[in-house]
Amino acid sequence: MNRITRRRERGAISATDLSQEVSTRVLKSLALAETKRVARIHTAPVRSLAIDPVQNRYLLSTGSDMSIQLFDLETSERVSGGPHQIAPLSHVAAGSGHTRLVSAVEWYPVDSGMFSTSSFDHTLRVWDTATMAEACQFDLESRIYCHRMSPTGAHALIAAANESAYVRLCDLRMASAVQQLFAHQGGGGTAVAWSPHQPYALATGGADGMLKLWDIRQSGSCIATFGQSPQFSQTESKDMDSAMAAHAGSIKSIQFSKLANAIVSSGSDKHARVWRADADGLSSSALLAEFLVESNSPEEGTVEPSLTSADDGTVMSEAIFYPSGNGTISAIELTTGRCIAVLHGHFAPVTCVEWRTRHMELYSGGADSNILVWCPPAAEILSDEQVASRADSWSDSEGN
């Protein structure tokens, strides 16, 4: 690090290059946290994680055990000289809310007093955070794989991808489903994402491998379809439909990049692709990059990657953390597809990850029922016992 700082002082590299190099080195250094742990509460695979976007303090988790857990990441208790343990602040017990696995959880974007969940029990539910009581419920009559609210907070619509061919839009103000988009056939919708720039731009993905962009103010056909470009496609298209598809299999995740004006999609074909989207979020063009991923999940449904934030200093670049079926997490440079680091810690497929903005922390959930914490070692203050334990492990490794 001192060498690159001296190069900047001599003018040998630009401020942009310095920022990129520092960001890359921090991400490369991520390791399992030694000073804090999240209590193992779930009794089945963790399916979804969400950190509130207002204070970046509260973590919600859901799982195949049908429970919903709420953690205060600033409140922990020291356990017998070891790491601090973060126990649940509150919860919705299994069976007292959803009756099947809870596939996704999402905070209300401008107020941590409310959040929403969706489930294979066909319902989308809205909850009061203070009481963990249900405020309203939408019955969409089919399994729901994913739901999202606009991060802009410009409207109260929740988009839900479900087994039917229609992506449903539910209005919190009216407590009813007010609009549907005929989006995906042959298995229905599997993933949705709102643009962070344009409140009415919605991307949808389906079991048909199609990735579509919609302006929900317009009825009828979508405004853009993302298809594989010949130079990136690894298999020849057999017909026009496959040529138009973004993936040769079900789409597992969709995310909008805030910095690169791009949409990131991944599929069951074990590919993730980065597509250019114009700043208005309502038009698109070429494929920017692609990379291989292990997208297997323990049960049918989506996976949840997470992007780094400009608030953490990644001003000119962005990285995506991708959960893998082999129990690892890959940190990948978004615009190039270059793998920065691979994190090892889970003992089963990783299903979801969540970056904690302004804290340089990553939280991951897996089929092993664990929620793990990752951070740069330099950011941790170790106890005397932990320092001694680390020294002992180094001595053992040197002796071998």
Side-chain angles (χ1 to χ4, degrees):
M1 187 64 75
N2 290 335
R3 182 191 302 177
I4 193 170
T5 303
R6 289 195 296 270
R7 290 181 62 200
R8 172 58 188 156
E9 290 172 349
R10 297 196 305 268
I13 61 171
S14 67
T16 298
D17 290 338
L18 174 64
S19 176
Q20 256 184 312
E21 180 65 23
V22 171
S23 298
T24 298
R25 291 192 182 194
V26 168
L27 295 180
K28 277 185 176 181
S29 73
L30 286 177
L32 280 173
E34 295 183 59
T35 60
K36 65 167 68 174
R37 297 281 191 275
V38 176
R40 189 174 186 267
I41 302 298
H42 288 285
T43 59
V46 179
R47 296 305 304 257
S48 184
L49 297 174
I51 294 176
D52 81 280
V54 179
Q55 301 178 65
N56 297 293
R57 174 173 178 171
Y58 297 102
L59 171 70
L60 285 164
S61 66
T62 66
S64 298
D65 59 6
M66 301 178 291
S67 73
I68 305 168
Q69 306 293 334
L70 172 65
F71 301 89
D72 182 351
L73 301 180
E74 297 298 323
T75 302
S76 60
E77 185 174 328
R78 186 78 174 274
V79 180
S80 61
H84 287 75
Q85 181 164 278
I86 304 170
L89 180 66
S90 188
H91 72 282
V92 177
S96 61
H98 289 289
T99 58
R100 294 192 64 188
L101 72 84
V102 187
S103 51
V105 62
E106 178 91 341
W107 286 98
Y108 189 61
V110 295
D111 185 356
S112 57
M114 184 167 61
F115 66 92
S116 55
T117 57
S118 53
S119 169
F120 279 19
D121 66 7
H122 302 181
T123 65
L124 171 64
R125 307 187 189 209
V126 180
W127 306 83
D128 182 319
T129 309
T131 62
M132 297 299 278
E134 185 179 311
C136 67
Q137 179 183 141
F138 304 88
D139 186 355
L140 302 190
E141 301 178 342
S142 63
R143 288 195 293 184
I144 306 171
Y145 296 117
C146 173
H147 76 278
R148 292 290 181 264
M149 298 190 70
S150 172
T152 66
H155 54 71
L157 295 174
I158 305 177
N162 57 88
E163 278 186 315
S164 76
Y166 295 92
V167 169
R168 308 287 290 276
L169 300 180
C170 303
D171 194 333
L172 285 176
R173 295 167 186 164
M174 300 178 66
S176 64
V178 296
Q179 190 176 346
Q180 56 185 17
L181 307 172
F182 185 70
H184 303 281
Q185 301 184 61
T190 54
V192 289
W194 294 94
S195 167
H197 307 295
Q198 169 53 256
Y200 300 102
L202 176 69
T204 67
D208 54 8
M210 303 292 287
L211 176 62
K212 298 181 178 182
L213 189 63
W214 309 76
D215 182 346
I216 63 168
R217 298 169 297 184
Q218 302 179 17
S219 60
S221 62
C222 66
I223 57 175
T225 299
F226 297 81
Q228 295 181 43
S229 186
Q231 67 267 29
F232 284 90
S233 179
Q234 308 245 339
T235 57
E236 294 185 6
S237 300
K238 295 181 179 179
D239 50 39
M240 183 59 70
D241 288 341
S242 61
M244 292 296 293
H247 292 274
S250 175
I251 289 183
K252 307 288 283 186
S253 69
I254 307 172
Q255 286 202 317
F256 274 87
S257 160
K258 291 183 179 180
L259 300 180
N261 291 327
I263 297 175
V264 190
S265 63
S266 68
S268 58
D269 59 1
K270 298 187 178 182
H271 281 77
R273 295 189 168 95
V274 184
W275 313 86
R276 181 178 292 117
D278 290 346
D280 60 6
L282 296 175
S283 54
S284 61
S285 54
L287 180 62
L288 295 174
E290 75 170 347
F291 44 91
L292 291 171
V293 292
E294 284 285 343
S295 61
N296 303 329
S297 56
E299 299 173 62
E300 187 179 358
T302 60
V303 293
E304 294 187 359
S306 185
L307 288 162
T308 55
S309 170
D311 293 334
D312 293 314
T314 54
V315 179
M316 299 304 294
S317 63
E318 230 171 346
I320 186 168
F321 294 96
Y322 201 87
S324 299
N326 60 10
T328 64
I329 303 164
S330 298
I332 298 167
E333 194 172 66
L334 192 63
T335 54
T336 65
R338 180 174 66 94
C339 184
I340 300 171
V342 178
L343 309 180
H344 300 263
H346 285 277
F347 299 104
V350 187
T351 53
C352 49
V353 290
E354 182 77 346
W355 180 253
R356 190 183 182 196
T357 303
R358 293 192 292 274
H359 290 78
M360 300 301 286
E361 290 179 349
L362 181 72
Y363 291 77
S364 62
D368 55 9
S369 307
N370 287 316
I371 299 173
L372 302 183
V373 189
W374 310 80
C375 66
E380 296 195 279
I381 301 175
L382 303 181
S383 66
D384 292 340
E385 295 93 333
Q386 290 169 325
V387 170
S389 176
R390 179 185 283 183
D392 288 343
S393 65
W394 286 346
S395 297
D396 291 342
S397 63
E398 289 174 358
N400 293 332

